[in-house]
Amino acid sequence: MMKIFSKRSHPPDERRLVENFLATRGEGEFRALYRCCTPALYGLVMRMVGGEAQDAEEIVQDTWIRAVERLPNFRWQSAFRTWLSAIAINCCRELYRSRQKQQRNVSADELALPVLQNSVETGEQIDLEKAISALSEGYRQVLVMHDVEGYTHREISEFLDINIGTSKSQLFHARQAIRKYLQAE
């Protein structure tokens, strides 16, 4: 029987992989740890950056660089993947902030609730990933963290440095935008 792990649990060998890497700092040990954790990490990051593969790859790389630097201080007070996800979420936020600085001129249309364009006219099937990627950054981050990854509003508020009420509001608006998209069909 295949065991499925939630964000709160971790594979039984994850701790062993971390300890082996710390003991040897060997390339083989790092590769084993990387192969164990990167698929889920990449999936999270891809959703957080709206499906932009180049951004996701860069963030995953930055995440691992930071994780390796900080790994000796990791105390297992959370699951390793949760800790790694928090680093990745911070990297996503940094990317978003740097892009916000580049886009100083924000029109009123961009501040409005995002309206997702459905492609029913062309006969394409609904693509939930596409709908999620069309959400504004804040809405997408909270939706992915809450509905996909299973984080609580309290955890989201800590990760994103926002109020719990803001997390709840952004989730509400994100779900509303997704519903509008699905109803347009």
Side-chain angles (χ1 to χ4, degrees):
M1 176 198 240
M2 185 175 163
K3 184 170 181 170
I4 298 177
F5 299 98
S6 70
K7 74 169 187 79
R8 302 247 187 258
S9 65
H10 50 88
D13 63 342
E14 192 174 90
R15 188 176 197 131
R16 181 183 50 80
L17 291 171
V18 170
E19 290 170 353
N20 287 347
F21 171 70
L22 286 174
T24 66
R25 291 289 182 158
E27 184 178 336
E29 288 77 11
F30 176 75
R31 285 180 188 258
L33 180 61
Y34 184 90
R35 279 192 303 269
C36 175
C37 300
T38 299
L41 181 66
Y42 184 76
L44 167 66
V45 171
M46 274 291 281
R47 288 182 185 95
M48 295 291 286
V49 298
E52 296 293 328
Q54 185 175 2
D55 289 342
E57 290 167 8
E58 184 178 318
I59 288 171
V60 167
Q61 182 179 6
D62 288 346
T63 299
W64 276 109
I65 290 169
R66 292 176 189 192
V68 168
E69 289 171 352
R70 299 171 186 163
L71 198 53
N73 298 322
F74 180 59
R75 300 289 175 235
W76 296 97
Q77 294 173 338
S78 65
F80 179 71
R81 288 184 194 215
T82 301
W83 179 73
L84 199 58
S85 294
I87 295 171
I89 289 165
N90 283 330
C91 290
C92 290
R93 292 180 61 219
E94 289 172 11
L95 175 70
Y96 179 61
R97 274 190 239 121
S98 72
R99 288 197 177 148
Q100 276 185 323
K101 288 178 184 176
Q102 294 171 356
Q103 300 170 345
R104 297 262 186 222
N105 300 329
V106 178
S107 69
D109 292 338
E110 291 172 314
L111 294 174
L113 179 68
V115 177
L116 303 175
Q117 305 263 328
N118 194 338
S119 54
V120 173
E121 305 86 33
T122 61
E124 293 180 27
Q125 292 182 329
I126 294 173
D127 183 352
L128 188 56
E129 291 290 335
K130 188 183 285 184
I132 291 171
S133 70
L135 293 170
S136 69
E137 191 76 22
Y139 292 171
R140 183 174 55 248
Q141 287 178 340
V142 173
L143 180 83
V144 168
M145 292 179 72
H146 188 274
D147 289 356
V148 177
E149 296 296 319
Y151 289 100
T152 66
H153 287 292
R154 180 174 304 284
E155 291 169 322
I156 294 168
S157 73
E158 291 170 8
F159 280 138
L160 300 181
D161 194 28
I162 59 176
N163 293 324
I164 292 173
T166 302
S167 176
K168 290 178 181 181
S169 173
Q170 288 183 338
L171 179 61
F172 171 80
H173 290 297
R175 287 175 175 168
Q176 190 176 41
I178 296 288
R179 275 189 212 101
K180 284 181 181 179
Y181 176 84
L182 295 174
Q183 289 171 351
E185 183 180 284

